[in-house]
Amino acid sequence: MFFQDGRDLADEVGIKAASIYHHFPSKADLGAAVARRYWEDTADYLEAMLAETSDPVRCLRRYPDTFRKALANDNRMCLCSFMAAEYDDLPDAVKKEVQTFVDVNVAWLSRMLSAAAVVSAEESEPRARAIFAAIAGAQLMARSRSDLALFDALIESYRVAGLLPA
């Protein structure tokens, strides 16, 4: 919906197009707001998951579900991954929010890896980046085939290989 005309978007959410154009002076402002809200919601979800279980290993095992849910919802993809695929064409304000999405995920994963003593403190951030990249890649690959089972198989292979805790 983000890439549609403002009138189409307004119709979809039940408001007047002028409201969108009044609140967001440019498409870049709208895109940045959408991406910001997306990473904020993701950060809240990850913190809620930790509060629910307080077991960092269990959180790490559940983390791929954040990407799986999009695939299970009409073969969709993570919004910021979708935007990142078009990174060169994004306005700077949107690029910043997409980068923040990655940073939020990597920081959370790094925290969980350290708390679970899966890797040393020095190794937690590089491992977190690898996990994020692998899961986002698995989502993209599964989406290109409309195959949720492929996503699950890739995640399991990451566990077998030791990238993710078993």
Side-chain angles (χ1 to χ4, degrees):
M1 281 179 43
F2 170 71
F3 293 104
Q4 293 177 349
D5 181 69
R7 288 177 296 277
D8 295 334
L9 180 60
D11 287 344
E12 185 71 28
V13 296
I15 62 174
K16 293 181 181 181
S19 296
I20 291 175
Y21 295 120
H22 175 72
H23 192 72
F24 300 103
S26 72
K27 200 169 194 175
D29 293 325
L30 173 60
V34 168
R36 183 178 322 104
R37 177 66 177 265
Y38 192 78
W39 73 252
E40 288 172 345
D41 288 349
T42 299
D44 290 346
Y45 175 82
L46 294 173
E47 291 307 317
M49 182 183 356
L50 179 59
E52 178 184 309
T53 179
S54 76
D55 177 0
V57 172
R58 184 164 178 200
C59 287
L60 288 166
R61 286 194 53 77
R62 289 179 54 192
Y63 178 77
D65 292 341
T66 62
F67 288 79
R68 188 182 195 282
K69 287 177 184 175
L71 288 168
N73 184 15
D74 293 330
N75 199 38
R76 292 186 183 173
M77 184 174 177
C78 161
L79 175 67
C80 284
S81 293
F82 179 79
M83 289 179 162
E86 299 299 326
Y87 190 81
D88 289 344
D89 297 326
L90 296 175
D92 288 342
V94 180
K95 286 179 180 178
K96 178 184 174 290
E97 300 303 336
V98 170
Q99 291 169 351
T100 301
F101 173 79
V102 174
D103 294 345
V104 162
N105 279 268
V106 168
W108 185 88
L109 285 165
S110 181
R111 225 173 72 221
M112 294 305 101
L113 289 164
S114 290
V118 171
V119 294
S120 69
E122 300 82 38
E123 296 170 327
S124 68
E125 188 171 334
R127 173 71 70 89
R129 286 185 185 146
I131 289 170
F132 178 82
I135 293 171
Q139 184 187 51
L140 183 61
M141 191 172 175
R143 184 176 192 272
S144 73
R145 290 170 167 56
S146 296
D147 187 353
L148 191 55
L150 175 58
F151 179 82
D152 294 338
L154 288 166
I155 298 305
E156 186 55 31
S157 74
Y158 300 157
R159 289 187 176 115
V160 170
L163 180 62
L164 286 170

